[in-house]
């Protein structure tokens, strides 16, 4: 006789997650069509939706990678989709129980169920007839896509085109004067999104005495498969379905929780059987089967050894005593002793070939921690193993000090410590110690032994201590503690800018401006930076002039000035991590421009008696000239203002001349800011 654990209940229900009922929609994209399934998630709204029907709208939002503007919208049903008349259900209801249940839920005069007492299990949380109709209808539609089509809860859209992407909207065709609110549902689909159905995941089996329990993962593919079928074969060629109804998960799985489905099959011992599992979708598709899993049931020994006493005559020797029913002696070839470092293994055989009548043995070469089991070896190859029993010699040897300790602190004061894992088999964990001063005793941070090679600490970021010091110790299961690891220094991130320097003095010369300042008093300053701004052009930003290469530098001579005007200077301090102080209070100076040397003005003239003019020309080693003033005198008479020319002029032709006259010309420069140069003179005879 076969036994099965049948998980029977599957519903779509978000009633507790929202105020208004809504249509929930799913889609399956195939190369040549899109399949849609939907359901309303509350019983009363479900009843109203069946009465009024559903509208389905398809919106084409992109075509061959290009957005469709405006979006193309098409109604896929001219009239609301409603459950088909009862007469159209007869053929399908006769051949499929799910279709019959769904038709009864929609059209039956009454719908009352009792908790079944057979292998289908019990269905919980059904309080009244409407909820019964709602629950069983959704469950039946989930198992038969044709029945869902008849109920008006599914649709096949065959008018789809490769390269197009769609958004489907399903809404209840409520009358305009209806006060009910049922939110519409939407889903995205495209023929380009087609994926082949996957194989179920994680099929495994435990073969017992005349039975096998199969299990496989449910939640990893629950977005694909809603139920499963199990198949069995005795030759790996012809398979027969075992479960009459597909298997479900009837409980809502919590986020991140591993959920498995189970099926127990009764089989004769000592015969090989093959098992495989297939998934079924809500659209009536059956996916590919898992790889076959082969095994056979074997009769149990019926007797199990039990370790009841341990003795340790020395630190390196233990005597194990166990019980085993004498009636089982004829069923076994003998015993084996196995050892592991952990209670759950893995175990290795350290003694074998012990006689079936033996009930004690001595083991040597004990390690720091030992878990022993006694295994009875059946003549039919079946093993019967005792529970593990721990033997631990007296241990006063501490672990080695941890190595590789590293730490880093972020700008919020979070310190992350990591280190290498100790290799001792009986390692219990670690203890963490901290100090703000390496010369004083460290305080322990851990209240309990830490079992991982990482630790997070939090320190005040704004106190005066620049460094935090850490070291750790390892501890074994006997609480023997190692020596400290190497101490590490964790430096706090520098969040405090240096103090501001102070402008001390200045001196304005014709060559530039001499500046001096009092340096910042902060110890981590690495440079001072001088900035200048032209106050006659306030739209200009501060210009960086100089960055000192020594914190002791406090002088700078600005020779880069070109134009006369009003200038401001300031200085800031910069520390080792790039933080800058507030600028020093600026000083302002007036610079008249550089004085011109006699060699800076090249002034000459050429007499042209044929054309009757004197050509005057000049070259000036300055670029801030705004005006030229030309003077003229004759026959040793004093110079008088003759012409005023703009700063772009390079010469002048004088035509107001008299023959046999000595002319003296003088050229004076007017610089930006109003400063004037000396008068450069030349003498010419016309």
């Amino acid at each position: 006789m076969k036994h099965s654990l049948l998980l029977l209940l599957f519903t779509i229900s978000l009633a507790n997650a929202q105020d208004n009922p809504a249509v929930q929609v799913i889609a399956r994209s195939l190369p040549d069509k899109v399949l849609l399934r939907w359901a309303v998630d509350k019983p009363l709204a479900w009843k109203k939706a069946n009465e009024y029907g559903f509208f389905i709208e398809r919106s084409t939002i992109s075509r061959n990678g290009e957005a469709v503007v405006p979006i193309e919208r098409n109604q896929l049903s001219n009239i609301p989709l409603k459950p088909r008349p009862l007469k159209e259900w007869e053929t399908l209801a006769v051949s499929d129980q799910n279709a019959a249940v769904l038709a009864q839920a929609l059209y039956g005069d009454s719908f009352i169920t009792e908790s079944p007492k057979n292998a289908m299990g019990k269905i919980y949380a059904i309080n009244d007839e409407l909820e019964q109709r709602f629950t069983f209808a959704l469950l039946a539609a989930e198992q038969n896509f044709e029945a869902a089509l008849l109920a008006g809860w599914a649709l096949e859209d065959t008018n789809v085109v490769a390269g197009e992407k769609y958004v489907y909207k399903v809404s209840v065709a409520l009358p305009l004067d209806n006060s009910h609110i049922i939110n519409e549902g939407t889903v995205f689909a495209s023929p380009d999104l087609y994926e082949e159905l996957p194989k179920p995941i994680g099929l495994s089996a435990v073969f017992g005495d005349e039975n096998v329990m199969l299990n496989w993962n449910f939640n990893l593919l629950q977005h694909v498969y809603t139920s499963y079928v199990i198949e069995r074969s005795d030759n790996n060629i012809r398979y027969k379905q075992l479960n009459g109804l597909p298997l479900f998960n009837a409980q809502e799985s919590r986020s991140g929780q591993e959920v498995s489905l189970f099926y127990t099959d009764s089989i004769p011992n000592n015969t090989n059987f093959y098992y495989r599992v297939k998934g079924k979708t809500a659209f009536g598709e059956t996916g590919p089967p898992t790889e076959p899993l082969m095994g056979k049931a074997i009769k149990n020994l019926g007797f199990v050894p039990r370790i009841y006493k341990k003795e340790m005559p020395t630190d390196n020797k233990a005597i194990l005593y166990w019980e085993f029913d004498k009636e089982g002696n004829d069923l076994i070839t003998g015993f084996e002793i196995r050892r592991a470092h952990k209670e759950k293994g893995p175990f290795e055989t350290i003694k074998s070939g012990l006689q079936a009548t033996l009930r004690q043995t001595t083991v040597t070469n004990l390690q720091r921690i030992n878990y022993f089991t006694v295994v009875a070896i059946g003549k039919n190859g079946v093993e019967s193993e005792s529970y593990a029993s721990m033997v631990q010699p007296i241990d006063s040897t501490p672990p080695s000090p941890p190595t590789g300790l590293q730490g880093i602190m972020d700008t919020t004061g979070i310190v992350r410590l990591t280190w290498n894992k100790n290799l001792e088999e009986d390692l219990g964990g670690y203890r963490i110690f901290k100090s703000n001063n390496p010369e004083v005793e460290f305080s322990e941070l851990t209240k309990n032994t830490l079992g991982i090679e990482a630790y997070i600490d939090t320190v005040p970021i704004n106190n005066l201590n620049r460094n935090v010091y850490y070291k750790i110790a390892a501890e074994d299961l006997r609480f023997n503690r190692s020596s400290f690891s190497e101490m590490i220094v964790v430096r706090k991130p520098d969040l405090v800018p240096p103090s501001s320097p102070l402008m001390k003095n200045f001196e304005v010369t014709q060559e530039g401006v001499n500046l001096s300042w009092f340096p910042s008093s902060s110890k981590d300053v690495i440079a001072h930076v001088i900035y200048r701004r032209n106050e006659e052009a306030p739209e200009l930003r501060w210009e960086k002039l100089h960055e000192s290469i020594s914190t002791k530098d406090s002088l700078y001579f600005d020779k880069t000035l070109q134009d006369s005007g009003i200038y401001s200077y300031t200085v800031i301090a910069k520390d080792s991590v790039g933080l800058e102080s507030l600028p020093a209070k600026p000083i302002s100076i007036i610079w008249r421009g550089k004085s011109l040397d006699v060699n800076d003005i090249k002034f000459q003239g050429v007499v042209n008696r044929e054309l009757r003019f004197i050509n005057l020309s000049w070259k000036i080693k300055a670029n801030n000239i705004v005006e030229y003033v030309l003077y003229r005198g004759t026959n040793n008479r004093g110079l008088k203002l003759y012409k005023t020319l703009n700063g772009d002029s390079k010469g002048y032709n004088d035509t107001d001349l008299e023959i046999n006259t000595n002319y003296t010309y003088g050229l004076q420069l007017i610089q930006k800011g109003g400063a004037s140069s000396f008068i450069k003179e030349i003498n010419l005879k016309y």
Side-chain angles (χ1 to χ4, degrees), residues 151-444:
W153 304 344
L155 181 137
E156 292 188 13
D157 182 12
T158 57
N159 189 25
V160 296
V161 179
E164 294 185 346
K165 292 182 171 56
Y166 311 107
V167 172
Y168 292 89
K169 179 176 72 175
V170 181
S171 58
V172 179
L174 293 171
L176 295 177
D177 58 350
N178 193 285
S179 61
H180 291 279
I181 298 176
I182 303 177
N183 295 332
E184 62 192 25
T186 59
V187 69
F188 177 73
S190 168
D192 301 340
L193 299 178
Y194 168 72
E195 293 181 353
E196 293 185 356
L197 294 175
K199 296 179 180 180
I201 296 173
L203 177 63
S204 62
V206 177
F207 287 87
D209 189 352
E210 295 188 342
N211 67 78
V212 58
M213 176 174 284
L214 305 173
N215 75 88
W216 62 96
N217 188 284
F218 170 77
N219 56 323
L220 289 181
L221 294 178
Q222 63 179 334
H223 63 290
V224 178
Y225 296 127
T226 60
S227 60
Y228 292 87
V229 295
I230 301 95
E231 295 180 336
R232 186 184 72 188
S233 171
D234 57 6
N235 58 10
N236 199 23
I237 298 175
R238 296 181 301 277
Y239 281 85
K240 177 182 179 182
Q241 181 174 329
L242 296 181
N243 52 321
L245 294 175
L247 299 184
F248 306 88
N249 175 43
Q251 297 179 350
E252 182 179 358
S253 59
R254 298 178 181 177
S255 177
Q257 182 182 12
E258 189 78 11
V259 177
S260 295
L261 293 183
F262 295 87
Y263 183 86
T264 301
D265 186 24
S266 296
I267 55 177
N269 286 336
N270 303 314
T271 302
N272 287 331
F273 287 97
Y274 300 83
Y275 291 90
R276 64 186 190 185
V277 175
K278 295 179 180 179
K280 297 190 67 175
T281 73
F283 302 96
E285 299 174 287
T286 300
T290 60
E291 295 299 324
L293 191 65
M294 188 269 287
K296 62 181 177 181
I298 300 177
K299 183 175 178 61
N300 292 333
L301 285 177
F303 304 98
V304 180
R306 181 181 73 87
I307 299 175
Y308 68 90
K309 189 171 72 170
K310 301 160 290 185
E311 293 180 353
M312 292 188 60
T314 68
D315 288 346
N316 198 36
K317 182 186 297 184
I319 303 174
L320 303 178
Y321 299 85
W322 66 90
E323 296 175 340
F324 187 77
D325 198 311
K326 293 181 179 180
E327 295 181 7
N329 288 354
D330 294 336
L331 302 177
I332 64 174
T333 61
F335 297 97
E336 288 184 357
I337 307 299
R338 296 175 184 173
R339 177 172 60 192
H341 302 306
K342 298 179 180 179
E343 184 177 8
K344 295 184 178 180
F347 286 85
E348 62 175 347
T349 300
I350 59 171
K351 296 189 76 172
S352 61
L354 300 179
Q355 295 180 2
T357 57
L358 196 64
R359 296 296 183 267
Q360 72 177 62
T361 190
T362 300
V363 292
T364 56
N365 298 322
L366 298 180
Q367 300 180 8
R368 286 191 173 188
I369 186 167
N370 308 266
Y371 285 93
F372 292 105
T373 62
V374 177
V375 182
I377 308 299
K379 292 180 179 180
N380 61 353
V382 177
E383 297 181 353
S384 178
E385 187 174 14
S386 71
Y387 288 111
S389 181
M390 186 180 73
V391 174
Q392 189 170 18
I394 296 174
D395 180 12
S396 59
T397 303
S400 301
T403 61
L405 179 60
Q406 296 180 338
I408 188 171
M409 185 187 306
D410 64 21
T411 56
T412 64
I414 302 297
V415 180
R416 290 176 170 82
L417 301 175
T418 59
W419 57 91
N420 299 331
K421 183 177 182 179
N422 277 48
L423 300 179
E424 289 82 5
E425 296 170 355
D426 62 341
L427 180 70
Y430 306 91
R431 299 281 181 166
I432 316 299
F433 298 83
K434 178 178 78 171
S435 177
N436 292 320
N437 185 342
E439 304 300 328
V440 302
E441 184 177 356
F442 280 61
S443 59
E444 184 175 353

Side-chain angles (χ1 to χ4, degrees), residues 576-592:
S576 57
V577 296
L579 296 176
E580 296 182 347
S581 71
L582 293 174
K585 183 178 180 181
I587 59 171
S588 296
I589 61 98
I590 299 176
W591 194 63
R592 301 296 183 184

Side-chain angles (χ1 to χ4, degrees), residues 26 34 50 106 224 247 272 438 479 550 567 628 674:
I26 58 175
V34 171
N50 293 331
L106 290 171
V224 178
L247 299 184
N272 287 331
F479 303 103
S550 171
Y567 294 90
Y628 292 99

Side-chain angles (χ1 to χ4, degrees), residues 502-513:
L502 179 65
M503 296 300 296
K504 180 180 178 183
N505 203 353
F506 66 91
E507 180 185 2
V508 181
T509 70
Q510 291 185 347
E511 299 300 322
V513 180

Side-chain angles (χ1 to χ4, degrees), residues 105-179:
L106 290 171
Y107 295 106
D109 294 333
S110 63
F111 196 91
I112 300 175
T113 63
E114 295 180 357
S115 298
K117 298 179 181 180
N118 55 18
M120 295 180 66
K122 296 183 179 181
I123 299 176
Y124 298 92
I126 297 180
N127 301 317
D128 53 39
E129 184 175 344
L130 177 59
E131 287 193 2
Q132 291 182 44
R133 291 179 184 268
F134 171 70
T135 302
F136 279 91
L138 293 185
L139 174 62
E142 199 69 32
Q143 306 312 311
N144 192 310
F145 187 69
E146 292 183 61
L149 289 169
L150 287 175
W153 304 344
L155 181 137
E156 292 188 13
D157 182 12
T158 57
N159 189 25
V160 296
V161 179
E164 294 185 346
K165 292 182 171 56
Y166 311 107
V167 172
Y168 292 89
K169 179 176 72 175
V170 181
S171 58
V172 179
L174 293 171
L176 295 177
D177 58 350
N178 193 285
S179 61

